[in-house]
């Protein structure tokens, strides 16, 4: 929870991945997985949301990634898909009924942070589908030494005009899919 401007605060949620060992080894970033969001600082806390991504082909124009999100009771709350867009990120965030509610971007992949991740943040505006207005944002922070050595990524979500808890969960799911699709390193590449 942030305590001052620019402070990232202490962890209040914990995310644990469930995926098949063989698929992690053979498919790496393309693997199917489920992320469980725990309402506390460890895996022992109750699950408040789960996000499932089936197998996909990263960077390919077909077999694109999709995240389906459920609440702690297993009820569908929505999904995020990431259709192919040349040189852009353009996610569609949908409600449980399939209605498009928000859109991440379109954001150019020509931002400085994509090419030099330790020099600049990467910004992803979240627009309301009905009004077209920016209502939130996701920022991938520039890498610091800790991120580089531990191979981690830091994201900041600014919910700004989004008040509904379900909408906030949908935007969190979109941020997680951004991380998996555009920033997860292929750990099977030994070059």
């Amino acid at each position: 929870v942030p305590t001052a401007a620019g402070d990232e605060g202490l962890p209040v949620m914990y995310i644990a991945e469930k995926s098949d060992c063989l698929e992690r080894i053979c498919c790496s970033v393309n693997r199917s997985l489920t992320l469980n969001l725990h309402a506390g600082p460890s895996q022992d806390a109750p699950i408040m949301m789960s996000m499932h991504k089936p197998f996909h082909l990263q960077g390919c124009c077909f077999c694109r990634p999709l995240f389906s999100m459920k609440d702690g009771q297993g009820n569908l709350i929505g999904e995020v898909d990431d259709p192919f867009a040349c040189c852009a990120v353009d996610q569609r965030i949908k409600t449980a009924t399939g209605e498009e509610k928000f859109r991440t971007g379109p954001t150019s992949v020509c931002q400085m942070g994509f090419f030099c991740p330790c020099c600049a943040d990467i910004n992803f505006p979240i627009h309301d589908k009905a009004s077209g207005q920016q209502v939130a944002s996701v920022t991938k922070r520039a890498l610091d030494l800790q991120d580089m050595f531990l191979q981690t990524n830091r994201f900041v979500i600014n919910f700004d005009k989004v008040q509904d808890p379900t909408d906030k969960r949908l935007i969190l799911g979109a941020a997680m899919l951004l991380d998996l699709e555009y920033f997860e390193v292929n750990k099977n590449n030994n070059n």
Side-chain angles (χ1 to χ4, degrees), residues 6-21:
D7 183 16
E8 293 177 19
L10 299 172
V12 294
M13 292 179 272
Y14 182 85
I15 296 178
E17 177 182 332
K18 284 182 143 184
S19 57
D20 183 66
C21 180

Side-chain angles (χ1 to χ4, degrees), residues 49-52 66-71 74-81 92-99 101 166-167 169-171 173-174:
M49 183 169 109
S50 65
M51 299 164 270
H52 177 73
L66 173 75
F67 239 18
S68 62
M69 295 165 284
K70 296 180 179 179
D71 63 19
N75 302 311
L76 182 68
I77 58 172
E79 65 180 27
V80 179
D81 69 9
R92 286 159 177 83
I93 304 169
K94 301 174 183 176
T95 65
T97 61
E99 174 192 355
K101 178 98 185 223
T166 300
D167 289 347
R169 289 179 181 197
L170 293 172
I171 291 171

Side-chain angles (χ1 to χ4, degrees), residues 9 39-40 116 180 191:
C116 190
L180 290 167
N191 296 338

Side-chain angles (χ1 to χ4, degrees), residues 1-190:
V1 175
T3 55
D7 183 16
E8 293 177 19
L10 299 172
V12 294
M13 292 179 272
Y14 182 85
I15 296 178
E17 177 182 332
K18 284 182 143 184
S19 57
D20 183 66
C21 180
L22 186 60
E23 205 172 352
R24 277 194 309 274
I25 293 167
C26 297
C27 302
S28 186
V29 296
N30 299 314
R31 72 194 178 281
S32 60
L33 60 84
T34 298
L35 298 176
N36 289 320
L37 176 65
H38 297 267
S42 76
Q43 196 167 342
D44 299 327
I47 294 174
M48 61 184 287
M49 183 169 109
S50 65
M51 299 164 270
H52 177 73
K53 178 183 74 70
F55 178 86
H56 76 287
L57 297 174
Q58 188 177 40
C60 191
C61 61
F62 60 92
C63 197
R64 300 291 299 165
L66 173 75
F67 239 18
S68 62
M69 295 165 284
K70 296 180 179 179
D71 63 19
Q73 291 74 42
N75 302 311
L76 182 68
I77 58 172
E79 65 180 27
V80 179
D81 69 9
D82 188 10
F84 177 75
C86 187
C87 299
V89 176
D90 190 18
Q91 292 179 331
R92 286 159 177 83
I93 304 169
K94 301 174 183 176
T95 65
T97 61
E99 174 192 355
E100 188 176 325
K101 178 98 185 223
F102 302 108
R103 185 172 256 176
T104 304
T107 300
S108 171
V109 295
C110 295
Q111 292 185 54
M112 171 74 99
F114 275 107
F115 298 104
C116 190
C118 35
C119 294
D121 293 345
I122 302 173
N123 299 303
F124 300 94
I126 308 286
H127 295 95
D128 180 76
K129 174 67 175 162
S131 70
Q133 299 294 313
Q134 181 175 334
V135 294
S137 65
V138 175
T139 302
K140 182 195 173 295
R141 303 293 299 268
L143 297 178
D144 60 18
L145 285 174
Q146 180 177 340
D147 296 332
M148 287 188 281
F149 285 112
L150 297 176
Q151 294 186 335
T152 59
N153 293 313
R154 290 175 299 137
F155 287 81
V156 175
I157 302 173
N158 178 353
F159 292 109
D160 196 19
K161 298 174 184 165
V162 177
Q163 301 300 316
D164 182 64
T166 300
D167 289 347
K168 289 180 178 184
R169 289 179 181 197
L170 293 172
I171 291 171
L172 174 63
M176 293 305 302
L177 187 58
L178 284 169
D179 183 32
L180 290 167
E181 179 63 8
Y182 296 99
F183 304 105
E184 183 173 3
V185 177
N186 185 346
K187 294 172 179 73
N188 293 339
N189 185 358
N190 296 324

